[in-house]
Amino acid sequence: MNSNKSVDRYAVVGFPVKHSRSPFIHGLFAQQTGQQLEYQLLEATPEHLNNEVTRFFSEGGKGLNITVPHKQAIMGLLDTCSQRARFAGAVNTVIKLPDGKLSGDNTDGVGLLKDLQYNLHFDLKNKRILMLGAGGAARGVMVPLLEASPKELVVANRTIERATRLVTEFESLGPITAASFNDLQHTPFDLIINATSASLQGEMPMLSPSVVGLNTLCYDMAYGKKDTVFTLWAKQLGTLQAVQGWGMLVEQAAEAFFLWRGIRPDTEPVLRILQNVAEQ
Ligand code: ATR
């Protein structure tokens, strides 16, 4: 629907997509920065992705966010991709360039890093990091995590072969190893990131409690109104910091907004509003 042709139009495309917080977040960014834009939900099944994206841009759309399950498939519809999107094997932001070409980028990794470093004041240098999961969500943040010079990054996955494959791809970039959940009888890690989709199913990977200490930052990329199974598990083990991925959501959106509009919104008030709304 093109309600106002003079206003730049953006959308998030996914299936399903009605739960997406992106219109709310980008609406707040636009208000804060005085930008005139419209941001819609665009639902597209995998079979209709091509048609919907082509139609959106032919009707003057300026940019898209891409969410589940299209982050890989969208790559086949683009003219160019950033290096970080190619490394991630996924695109979450599409920009229509002035010459009409479609360019893909991935702001998830930088979103996570900004949340850790600026919002949570966690310096990754020389830290021991445990990544739970070896799917798309984990892959998307491998490069920035390794670029932050951790002491070690252990990728643990239910299916060990998948963790091993991921590690092989990224081992030239830093100290990264693969493990199964059973292998993890370590002293506590400094940071544990849950990138499995287990939380979404209300499940918790079978992990030894020994990996969590009082000062372990336990970070779930998933987010919801209440604690996720992972943040609850971490709190019960006594960690002082168990955090959901609201900050990553807002920071990756801010980076996309910057790619489209050339202006960096202030994320702090938006994150506060979003967390307050989520708690109601
Ligand atoms: P995404 O794009 O969200 O990462 P994905 O690529 O399907 O989705 O990956 C899902 C990840 O969650 C995988 O690491 C998966 O483990 P497997 O590779 O063994 O399938 C993990 N996962 C999903 N459900 C899980 C569960 N109940 N317990 C542990 N790990 C789980």
Side-chain angles (χ1 to χ4, degrees):
M1 257 132 344
N2 197 350
S3 54
N4 185 348
K5 280 200 180 224
S6 64
V7 171
D8 288 347
R9 289 170 54 237
Y10 298 86
V12 54
V13 59
F15 184 73
V17 80
K18 61 176 182 291
H19 63 278
S20 171
R21 308 297 211 289
S22 294
F24 183 67
I25 294 171
H26 284 281
L28 291 174
F29 287 165
Q31 219 175 55
Q32 183 200 91
T33 57
Q35 295 279 298
Q36 297 293 314
L37 58 87
E38 215 176 81
Y39 191 107
Q40 307 160 327
L41 293 172
L42 186 59
E43 186 154 274
T45 61
E47 307 81 67
H48 292 115
L49 179 67
N50 192 345
N51 282 352
E52 291 295 334
V53 168
T54 306
R55 188 159 61 92
F56 176 79
F57 284 112
S58 68
E59 288 177 356
K62 297 283 185 197
L64 284 175
N65 280 137
I66 313 296
T67 188
V68 179
H70 303 313
K71 286 187 181 186
Q72 282 90 32
I74 191 73
M75 296 177 88
L77 309 179
L78 305 176
D79 299 296
T80 57
C81 257
S82 69
Q83 193 190 34
R84 62 187 180 183
R86 281 200 300 275
F87 264 125
V91 158
N92 77 339
T93 306
V94 177
I95 307 124
K96 188 167 185 180
L97 300 174
D99 63 4
K101 290 201 166 129
L102 297 182
S103 168
D105 206 338
N106 192 315
T107 64
D108 284 334
V110 73
L112 172 66
L113 265 282
K114 285 200 166 173
D115 194 30
L116 289 170
Q117 290 171 331
Y118 302 130
N119 300 332
L120 300 167
H121 309 291
F122 185 89
D123 181 5
L124 291 107
K125 195 169 163 57
N126 286 324
K127 296 295 187 335
R128 295 178 57 242
I129 304 174
L130 171 61
M131 168 69 70
L132 305 176
R139 169 187 296 277
V141 299
M142 282 293 137
V143 172
L145 280 179
L146 288 168
E147 281 177 351
S149 307
K151 186 170 183 190
E152 66 170 328
L153 173 57
V154 178
V155 179
N157 199 43
R158 182 174 58 182
T159 315
I160 176 73
E161 295 77 17
R162 215 170 163 198
T164 308
R165 270 204 305 278
L166 195 67
V167 163
T168 308
E169 261 184 74
F170 291 98
E171 65 192 355
S172 64
L173 300 183
I176 177 173
T177 51
S180 69
F181 293 139
N182 288 336
D183 293 337
L184 297 171
Q185 299 291 341
H186 289 260
T187 51
F189 284 86
D190 298 305
L191 168 66
I192 304 177
I193 301 171
N194 181 26
T196 70
S197 50
S199 280
L200 306 176
Q201 303 142 20
E203 290 173 12
M204 177 62 210
M206 294 294 290
L207 276 184
S208 160
S210 67
V211 295
V212 178
L214 199 63
N215 295 314
T216 305
L217 169 56
C218 292
Y219 191 102
D220 200 334
M221 283 197 194
Y223 47 85
K225 284 192 171 195
K226 289 186 279 187
D227 267 311
T228 66
V229 190
F230 173 75
T231 56
L232 200 60
W233 172 83
K235 283 179 183 174
Q236 282 165 354
L237 290 175
T239 183
L240 295 175
Q241 278 206 91
V243 180
Q244 300 187 36
W246 290 106
M248 177 177 173
L249 176 72
V250 173
E251 295 296 343
Q252 64 75 29
E255 198 67 16
F257 191 90
F258 175 70
L259 290 172
W260 293 329
R261 310 300 299 181
I263 292 181
R264 217 173 267 289
D266 182 4
T267 51
E268 196 269 331
V270 175
L271 181 53
R272 207 162 358 100
I273 292 169
L274 201 66
Q275 279 170 327
N276 284 341
V277 170
E279 278 163 16
Q280 281 163 19

